[in-house]
Amino acid sequence: MSFITDLNDIFIGCRLGVNTMAETVKGYVEKIVYRNDENGYTVFSLTHDGDELTCVGYVAMLNEGEFIQAIGEFTQHPIYGEQFLLESYEIKEPEDAYSIELYLSSGAIKGIGKTLASRIVKKFGDNAFRIIVEEPGMLAQVKGISERMAMEIYRQFEDKRDMRNAMMFLQRYNITGNLAAKIYQEYGNRMYDIIRENPYRLAEDISGIGFKTADEIAGRVGIEPNSDYRIKAGILYILLQANTEGHVYLPEPELIHRAKELLLAEDELIQRQIISLSIEKKIILVEEDSERLVYSAVFYYMELNIARMLHDLNIKYYYNSDELNNKLAQIENLVGTVLDEQQRIAVKEAVCNGLLIITGGPGTGKTTIINAIIKFFEAEGLTILLAAPTGRAAKRMSETTGYEAKTIHRMLELSKLTQGEGDNYTFERNETNPLETDVLIIDEMSMVDIGLMNALLKAVAVGTRLILVGDVNQLPSVGSGNVLKDIINSHCFNVVKLTKIFRQEEGSDIIVNAHKINAGEQIDLNNKSMDFFMLKRSEAKVITAVIINLVKNKLPKYVKATPFEIQVLTPMRKGELGVEKLNKALQAALNPPSADKIEKEYHQMVFREGDKVMQIKNNYQLTWEIKSIYGITTQIGTGVFNGDAGIIKEINLFSEYLIVEFDDNRLVSYSFSQLDELELAYAVTVHKSQGSEYPAVVLPILDGPRLLFNRNLLYTAVTRAKNCVVIVGSDKMIKYMIDNKSEQSRYSRLGEQIKEIVM
């Protein structure tokens, strides 16, 4: 039985107690045995009438040494004996010198240890607290306390009192633990008016508090369901949710429909608050084709700024044609490849334009072009930077070019904000401190969302050549927008579309089939290929068993890779062949429990040393380091991002942390409270695999939502494989996916914004 389970049993035992008579106890908190910072659930020992009493309950804030008066009931637990279940409590000033000294020596007031606490009480006795509050200057009479320190003790004492009062106030509305602390840190004593008048501000101002949490608080406070505050907050929440779905805006009819479902309000009330929010400049309304579109202001200006900055970068450079051809011939000698006509055009366009987009599927020579462009500009004496959205994509770019490539975040020098500023972050490279380069090449552009593109372009000075490379037929970015597709479809900038397949001659059916899938042509599933296989199975359990055998036994030798390098990709999270169940099965097969491997259970998921894991949300505050082979730290930075994958190297149950080593050798320490940011990665969704390339990909395809099972998803999954693709499941579903070209549409207007500026 785990320690936490024991504590939960204590609490359950208290609830089952038969004594329902409310009683009052007084005493000082001797020891905090356990505290859950998220919900405030606490187990502590209280010195009461000379005896030690174990108390349990949800308390807002409590320190060792504090004197409390608690109301609750005594209960008898069958294992742990007598307990006191708190219903409510109040922190009192200690009533005697002994209790005062106990509190002061507990560490609650920084700078006061046991020795100073003893001196203060010896000097002032039972009046010590009154002296601290009413005549703090007298503390300077105590040896070891200066006048400055005396005022600091007074300030801390008052801050503690204010925070205690605030936490007790918030507890009335069932707000406890970290959430209460966040609210107090954000507003201080202004929180009382904010909670009573407009608790929906919490959703706007505080990271981690969404509309639903604020709405629950508002209901307890007594805010009316048709309150202007509530409807405005609901509209902003809906737009935020739309952003997480990939949309940049919502058509007004769809926004109103969603708002009615969420708020149970009439159209008229919703429309009125849409206008009000527009007047407040929190949203932007755009009329287009007799339809009104609704943006949150920040996303509207992101699109507009991206369009303007792209236009500003699109400068023409003029070269003598013969001179350019001669230099290209020299570059071909350096690269050791004769460029075909399309590739030569791409290099020329990069040389003659400040902005160029290169798009093409696998095997169409994008890497060859990038290498030729690098050699050309290098010969011209220009400086070059390479970047990609993810660590894996950057690493692959480095391997194929021989030049260092960074993630976009690292290139822009992500900066960690000071504590208390939530999940906000900033980049050191921006419009006032641009990147110092003549040429910037970004690969895997299909993964770049509107927020990252905006930050990137801010750091690119006019006069820098920007070359964007990507496969426009891949799945769109996980974040908002359709950046690469919108830029291409605007028809306002130079675009080179690569169509010739160069690796076809190498006999790669992965490349051939990928292009067939993209074109809507059916592929051969007869297993005559050397790198593309179809294993027909019709039951989920059988498919799972086949996948395990492939990853563990068959494919490693075939592709000369470890089982951990082989990736299972699946369209879904849920279901028998979804990420969650496949990960449990693969973990049991590839990294089973062992006496020499420490493990930690968290929210029905077991993390074990040696496990393959993935970061599932952007965390701009996490610190990472890279160490040499001698264990010396050589680099330190911040930021771990959605899709970053690695291996658990260490779990420390005593200090409650685990360490993950990511693909680019970054070491990151996670506290156990941060484990909701990680999940097992033996199997990942196709979306999460973007930007990655694996020696072999295993793809279970049986059945699922028709909108999800489409051509775009299958194409993306197949193109993640370098040496081998194995599909396990239904060949009929594969044929259906190739025929199903429907994609979930995204509301974005970057293309229109570009046209409005350029034309």
Side-chain angles (χ1 to χ4, degrees):
M1 184 179 292
S2 72
F3 178 61
I4 302 305
T5 304
D6 290 348
L7 295 176
N8 287 334
D9 283 348
I10 293 172
F11 190 50
I12 292 166
C14 290
R15 288 204 178 279
L16 296 176
V18 295
N19 187 352
T20 59
M21 293 288 291
E23 298 191 50
T24 301
V25 298
K26 287 184 180 181
Y28 60 84
V29 179
E30 183 170 330
K31 182 176 178 59
I32 302 292
V33 179
Y34 169 76
R35 172 155 39 208
N36 183 322
D37 288 331
E38 292 297 324
N39 59 21
Y41 173 71
T42 306
V43 179
F44 62 95
S45 58
L46 187 77
T47 298
H48 168 66
D49 290 340
D51 296 323
E52 190 174 310
L53 175 65
T54 298
C55 300
V56 294
Y58 293 90
V59 297
M61 183 183 179
L62 206 58
N63 292 309
E64 291 178 358
E66 287 185 316
F67 191 83
I68 69 168
Q69 177 176 298
I71 297 173
E73 61 183 26
F74 286 96
T75 60
Q76 194 71 27
H77 190 277
I79 298 174
Y80 300 102
E82 186 179 59
Q83 316 289 336
F84 188 79
L85 172 62
L86 271 75
E87 294 176 6
S88 63
Y89 75 101
E90 186 178 354
I91 297 173
K92 299 281 190 180
E93 290 189 356
E95 297 175 341
D96 55 64
Y98 175 73
S99 298
I100 292 171
E101 183 175 345
L102 197 73
Y103 174 73
L104 291 176
S105 63
S106 69
I109 305 297
K110 289 181 181 177
I112 299 181
K114 290 184 178 181
T115 302
L116 265 186
S118 176
R119 288 176 187 168
I120 291 169
V121 172
K122 187 175 181 179
K123 176 73 175 174
F124 301 113
D126 293 351
N127 288 321
F129 267 24
R130 185 190 64 77
I131 294 295
I132 292 172
V133 174
E134 297 177 11
E135 301 177 79
M138 291 182 64
L139 290 173
Q141 298 175 14
V142 176
K143 183 182 178 181
I145 299 180
S146 63
E147 290 186 6
R148 182 176 179 181
M149 185 177 179
M151 297 312 296
E152 174 61 20
I153 291 169
Y154 165 74
R155 186 192 63 77
Q156 284 193 56
F157 203 82
E158 286 300 294
D159 286 349
K160 289 278 183 183
R161 177 180 288 181
D162 287 346
M163 188 166 186
R164 279 201 303 264
N165 291 338
M167 301 293 252
M168 297 294 287
F169 171 79
L170 293 170
Q171 193 175 35
R172 297 179 203 167
Y173 303 109
N174 291 341
I175 308 169
T176 58
N178 282 349
L179 188 55
K182 277 186 176 183
I183 293 170
Y184 182 73
Q185 287 166 6
E186 178 72 24
Y187 301 121
N189 287 329
R190 293 184 299 125
M191 61 158 232
Y192 297 100
D193 291 335
I194 290 169
I195 293 291
R196 292 187 184 107
E197 295 172 11
N198 179 19
Y200 294 100
R201 272 193 60 182
L202 274 59
E204 293 184 50
D205 298 340
I206 302 176
S207 172
I209 299 182
F211 170 79
K212 291 184 177 178
T213 300
D215 202 32
E216 288 175 8
I217 296 169
R220 296 182 199 122
V221 173
I223 303 291
E224 291 295 324
N226 286 336
S227 156
D228 291 352
Y229 292 136
R230 181 172 186 265
I231 294 173
K232 285 180 182 177
I235 291 168
L236 294 174
Y237 168 75
I238 289 163
L239 288 174
L240 181 64
Q241 287 298 106
N243 298 149
T244 65
E245 296 166 14
H247 304 304
V248 182
Y249 68 86
L250 282 179
E252 188 179 43
E254 184 168 341
L255 173 62
I256 291 172
H257 174 74
R258 292 192 186 195
K260 284 174 69 176
E261 287 190 340
L262 176 69
L263 303 169
L264 303 177
E266 297 298 324
D267 288 23
E268 183 183 344
L269 290 173
I270 297 167
Q271 288 171 330
R272 186 192 308 157
Q273 298 312 321
I274 288 174
I275 298 300
S276 180
L277 285 167
S278 174
I279 293 169
E280 294 171 17
K281 301 191 184 308
K282 290 183 178 179
I283 65 173
I284 304 294
L285 303 180
V286 176
E287 301 289 340
E288 184 175 88
D289 298 331
S290 71
E291 184 178 40
R292 181 183 281 171
L293 313 177
V294 186
Y295 282 86
S296 60
V298 65
F299 277 88
Y300 175 81
Y301 289 112
M302 270 189 197
E303 269 195 349
L304 187 62
N305 288 337
I306 289 170
R308 177 187 56 78
M309 291 185 287
L310 287 171
H311 172 261
D312 292 346
L313 289 170
N314 192 30
I315 297 171
K316 297 293 182 185
Y317 297 88
Y318 296 97
Y319 279 76
N320 177 277
S321 180
D322 291 338
E323 182 185 350
L324 187 54
N325 285 328
N326 289 335
K327 286 186 176 180
L328 278 176
Q330 294 172 16
I331 297 304
E332 287 176 329
N333 289 332
L334 282 173
V335 176
T337 303
V338 177
L339 302 175
D340 87 322
E341 187 57 31
Q342 224 174 22
Q343 292 174 322
R344 290 176 68 85
I345 289 171
V347 178
K348 287 180 180 179
E349 292 289 340
V351 171
C352 296
N353 292 281
L355 175 64
L356 174 66
I357 298 93
I358 300 171
T359 184
T364 55
K366 296 191 294 293
T367 299
T368 301
I369 292 169
I370 290 173
N371 283 325
I373 290 171
I374 291 171
K375 293 296 183 186
F376 187 98
F377 286 126
E378 209 173 34
E380 294 284 288
L382 301 184
T383 55
I384 304 159
L385 284 179
L386 308 180
T390 67
R392 282 196 170 193
K395 184 177 180 181
R396 199 169 78 247
M397 195 179 189
S398 295
E399 291 169 350
T400 56
T401 63
Y403 293 80
E404 182 188 16
K406 296 181 178 179
T407 64
I408 297 173
H409 289 90
R410 284 182 68 182
M411 181 183 68
L412 296 181
E413 298 174 21
L414 181 74
S415 177
K416 184 176 183 178
L417 295 180
T418 57
Q419 193 172 5
E421 293 182 277
D423 291 335
N424 294 321
Y425 63 97
T426 187
F427 291 110
E428 294 296 327
R429 295 292 181 174
N430 50 41
E431 56 268 54
T432 60
N433 182 30
L435 294 164
E436 297 172 5
T437 188
D438 299 310
V439 182
L440 175 59
I441 304 174
I442 306 293
D443 199 8
E444 294 288 354
M445 266 300 300
S446 63
M447 298 180 65
V448 176
D449 62 29
I450 189 171
L452 187 56
M453 188 65 175
N454 185 53
L456 172 68
L457 292 178
K458 282 182 179 180
V460 181
V462 174
T464 303
R465 286 179 170 86
L466 178 62
I467 299 155
L468 307 176
V469 184
D471 185 349
V472 75
N473 295 306
Q474 297 278 6
L475 287 169
S477 60
V478 175
S480 303
N482 228 340
V483 174
L484 180 62
K485 187 173 285 188
D486 285 351
I487 292 172
I488 292 172
N489 291 343
S490 72
H491 303 293
C492 292
F493 306 118
N494 287 68
V495 177
V496 175
K497 295 183 178 179
L498 306 174
T499 55
K500 182 178 178 181
I501 307 172
F502 289 92
R503 278 160 61 187
Q504 188 169 355
E505 291 83 4
E506 300 172 13
S508 171
D509 286 317
I510 297 174
I511 302 298
V512 173
N513 286 342
H515 285 275
K516 282 185 175 181
I517 290 166
N518 189 45
E521 299 174 19
Q522 292 299 328
I523 58 178
D524 290 329
L525 299 172
N526 54 19
N527 289 336
K528 293 181 179 179
S529 169
M530 295 298 290
D531 63 2
F532 201 103
F533 305 96
M534 174 79 215
L535 305 181
K536 297 177 187 177
R537 303 291 188 274
S538 58
E539 296 180 24
K541 289 183 179 178
V542 174
I543 291 173
T544 300
V546 170
I547 289 171
I548 291 170
N549 190 33
L550 285 167
V551 175
K552 186 176 181 180
N553 303 315
K554 301 295 184 181
L555 287 174
K557 294 177 183 177
Y558 191 73
V559 296
K560 296 180 176 60
T562 69
F564 278 53
E565 292 174 306
I566 295 162
Q567 190 60 57
V568 177
L569 302 181
T570 177
M572 304 173 295
R573 289 197 55 81
K574 303 290 184 181
E576 292 299 317
L577 296 175
V579 164
E580 294 173 6
K581 289 199 173 182
L582 283 175
N583 267 321
K584 288 183 179 179
L586 286 161
Q587 181 192 42
L590 300 177
N591 191 33
S594 169
D596 60 351
K597 290 182 180 178
I598 300 171
E599 59 184 52
K600 164 67 180 174
E601 185 174 353
Y602 184 83
H603 290 180
Q604 299 181 327
M605 187 184 302
V606 173
F607 292 105
R608 187 174 296 128
E609 287 177 340
D611 271 336
K612 184 177 178 181
V613 293
M614 178 176 281
Q615 175 81 9
I616 58 171
K617 61 183 285 191
N618 289 340
N619 186 325
Y620 303 98
Q621 304 293 329
L622 270 177
T623 300
W624 53 262
E625 61 180 353
I626 295 176
K627 293 188 176 183
S628 70
I629 57 173
Y630 303 106
I632 299 170
T633 299
T634 57
Q635 291 185 56
I636 296 177
T638 58
V640 183
F641 305 105
N642 193 348
D644 287 353
I647 302 292
I648 296 176
K649 306 301 287 186
E650 178 188 347
I651 297 177
N652 190 314
L653 296 176
F654 179 76
S655 300
E656 298 192 337
Y657 70 83
L658 62 76
I659 293 176
V660 177
E661 182 175 15
F662 286 96
D663 290 334
D664 49 5
N665 302 319
R666 289 175 301 153
L667 293 167
V668 179
S669 178
Y670 291 81
S671 67
F672 284 174
S673 64
Q674 294 173 308
L675 293 185
D676 59 342
E677 298 188 15
L678 290 174
E679 68 179 19
L680 297 175
Y682 300 97
V684 301
T685 62
V686 178
H687 250 112
K688 293 283 189 185
S689 72
Q690 286 177 269
S692 298
E693 185 176 71
Y694 310 100
V697 162
V698 181
L699 183 61
I701 297 290
L702 188 60
D703 197 9
R706 292 306 191 254
L707 187 61
L708 179 63
F709 279 58
N710 58 34
R711 180 188 303 172
N712 193 212
L713 182 134
L714 182 61
Y715 172 78
T716 302
V718 166
T719 54
R720 297 307 89 208
K722 184 177 182 180
N723 299 319
C724 184
V725 171
V726 183
I727 302 173
V728 188
S730 167
D731 58 337
K732 291 181 180 178
M733 181 55 78
I734 296 298
K735 291 173 182 175
Y736 170 83
M737 292 176 77
I738 294 171
D739 288 336
N740 181 20
K741 63 179 181 179
S742 65
E743 298 176 35
Q744 193 166 2
S745 60
R746 288 188 168 193
Y747 296 121
S748 62
R749 290 184 66 256
L750 177 58
E752 284 69 25
Q753 299 265 40
I754 291 170
K755 289 176 187 175
E756 290 169 11
I757 287 176
V758 173
M759 296 181 175

